[in-house]
Amino acid sequence: MSGTVLVAYQWAPSAQGTLVTESGQVDASRASVGLSDSDHVAIEFARGLADQAGARLVALGVGPEAVSAGLATKAVASRGPDEVVVVRDATPTTISVAQALAAQASGMDDLVALVLGDASNDHGTRMVPGVVAGLLGRPLLADVRSVTLGEPATVVTKFAGGTQTLQAYGTLVVQVAPDAVKPRVPGMRDILAAAKKPVQVVDVSASIDNVAVTPISVSPVQPPSRGGRVIAADTPAAAVAQLVNELSQAGVL
Amino acid sequence: MTTWLIVADDAKVSGLLDLARALPSPLAAVVAGTRELADQVAGWVPAVTWFDTSAVPASGIASAVAGVVAADPGTVVAGMGVDSRLLAGAVAAATGAEVLADVIAAIPSGDGLRVTHLLLGGLATEEVGVIGPVVLVADGRTVPEPGSAAGTVTPAAADASVARVSTEPPAAAGGDLASAARVVGVGRGLKDAGDLSLVQELAAALGAELACSRPIAEGMGWLPTSSYLGISGQRIAPSLYLAVGISGQGQHMIGVRDARTIVAVNSDATAPIVAQADWTIVGDLYQVVPELTRALLVRS
Ligand SMILES: Cc1cc2nc3c(=O)[nH]c(=O)nc-3n(C[C@H](O)[C@H](O)[C@H](O)COP(=O)(O)OP(=O)(O)OC[C@H]3O[C@@H](n4cnc5c(N)ncnc54)[C@H](O)[C@@H]3O)c2cc1C
């Protein structure tokens, strides 16, 4: 094997099960913790790219303590990576995650590509790929559907409702389109094999930070409430008749 | 100091101008796109640096754009389109700026800014104080009225490290969700991809475009990702949005909150969408949707 493909992921509580109380407390205790859908896609895509290059695939996770738990690293390893590296960062932000990824990536001289998904489970700001590419001084290949390696590599990305074909040289920084590949569902063998894959845990090094962001307050967003009229009728046909009637009267239909 | 506007993708920048104009420093823009787009932006902003992307992709000019901003750093305001985000990311990296996404307001405060942004996909808003360089990513919303700033347009070139070889148009000329007057959205209440015909027939009877919630496009892959609505998908303002088997999570509803009328079909009377809809039929979509399609066809 020659070369390394890195794939970034975040092990984080999903925003979906997260609650925000009236007083602005963020409660993630009931949120499921794991990879986002787009990280699943990114890992699958990166596996294909590593196979194409004959390279090893290293999954690189950044996040709070839970990212280094055996459960987390095994879940990631069962999706195809050969190795897992986790960077513990207690308070990940767009910049700190991007810096941690860039630091790991620039430490690898045989890097073929750094692959990222579209959004993580928690923040979903979709800004990490662009910042990492900038920190590495590489162009970000965004919304990528396929990569054929070579010098130059041929890269197909989504573009203006269709696609565009690009040529890029050197190490690639790839943000995978959410529908580029269908992620695998790990089977028993993958899960057993995952337990044997090497895992390395490092702590985030103090980032160069010339910005101070101070939280002031958090407030829950009340969903805008509308009429909320519920049509109750004995049969679906009767409910539909009533709805169509009311919509016509209101000038909607 | 300069307040920078980064414009790529399109001219939907009213939301960005609102943010930028609330900041004290003079405004300048970097435009990645056509000359026409640069001229349009010069109607609103006094100084425009223009990178022509007719032959090079935005990724190829990102470091040059970052160089322009880094030469005179200040707060950066950018849209949420894919090219805007990659340019904003390169700028943040070059200037050591923090990035805040889904920003809805920013005002000067002391030596810095007080920024309000959506958190957790729109579940909450967070207010933060920022001192130091920051990139604010926000919803551009709409195309402003043509402006009269008569700004200068300075062409700039970049040694693109990525070349565009060809472009391929969309496979099928799908309808335009953004401008559709009526939209039917389908969610996880649908059990099987094979059942999509049910909602397709409803959309046809209503003269509507078909859209969906994120899991239908990203998890299941039943519809293209360009069809999902919400904070990370498309945001639309049709006169009628009909949500079928969609629970109404905040992340989805942000994409449709500007619809004039929202109608829902949901089997759960306690689903969040009920309060956020103007009308709801509580019932099984497998029974309600065919009835509704029939009733609409009879009417027409
Ligand atoms: C950071 C972040 C960003 C996100 N961005 C988006 C986004 O942009 N867009 C988006 O859509 N989502 C987004 N999501 C996901 C979002 O939180 C929800 O998970 C998603 O919108 C739910 O989709 P749904 O309503 O189809 O499914 P569900 O929440 O599972 O709802 C299905 C609904 O169907 C109803 N139902 C079931 N069976 C029937 C039947 N037979 N007849 C009628 N009704 C039935 C159920 O009562 C339920 O209300 C995001 C999440 C995160 C964390």
Side-chain angles (χ1 to χ4, degrees), chain A residues 16, chain B residues 188 213-214 229 231-232 247 251-252 266 284-285:
Chain A
Q16 224 160 306
Chain B
R188 265 201 300 222
S213 64
R214 189 169 81 170
L229 307 173
I231 187 155
S232 36
S247 59
Q251 293 98 357
H252 180 79
N266 199 302
D284 181 355
L285 74 89

Side-chain angles (χ1 to χ4, degrees), chain A residues 37-70:
Chain A
D37 289 343
S38 49
D39 283 348
H40 289 160
V41 174
I43 295 172
E44 193 67 51
F45 188 92
R47 181 68 263 174
L49 202 57
D51 291 344
Q52 206 190 118
R56 68 181 176 138
L57 177 62
V58 179
L60 178 55
V62 184
E65 190 62 34
V67 73
S68 60

Side-chain angles (χ1 to χ4, degrees), chain B residues 1-104:
Chain B
M1 287 263 286
T2 297
T3 298
W4 288 96
L5 199 66
I6 294 187
V7 183
D9 303 293
D10 56 36
K12 288 186 184 154
V13 298
S14 65
L16 311 182
L17 282 172
D18 288 348
L19 281 176
R21 285 176 179 151
L23 303 176
S25 308
L27 194 55
V30 180
V31 174
T34 59
R35 173 79 204 205
E36 193 188 356
L37 180 62
D39 287 340
Q40 213 173 347
V41 174
W44 307 306
V45 178
V48 174
T49 306
W50 167 56
F51 289 89
D52 186 355
T53 53
S54 53
V56 264
S59 53
I61 56 155
S63 65
V65 169
V68 170
V69 176
D72 180 17
T75 301
V76 176
V77 180
M80 306 200 300
V82 63
D83 285 347
S84 301
R85 281 187 281 120
L86 80 82
L87 296 175
V91 169
T95 56
E98 185 53 86
V99 178
L100 294 172
D102 291 314
V103 171
I104 49 182

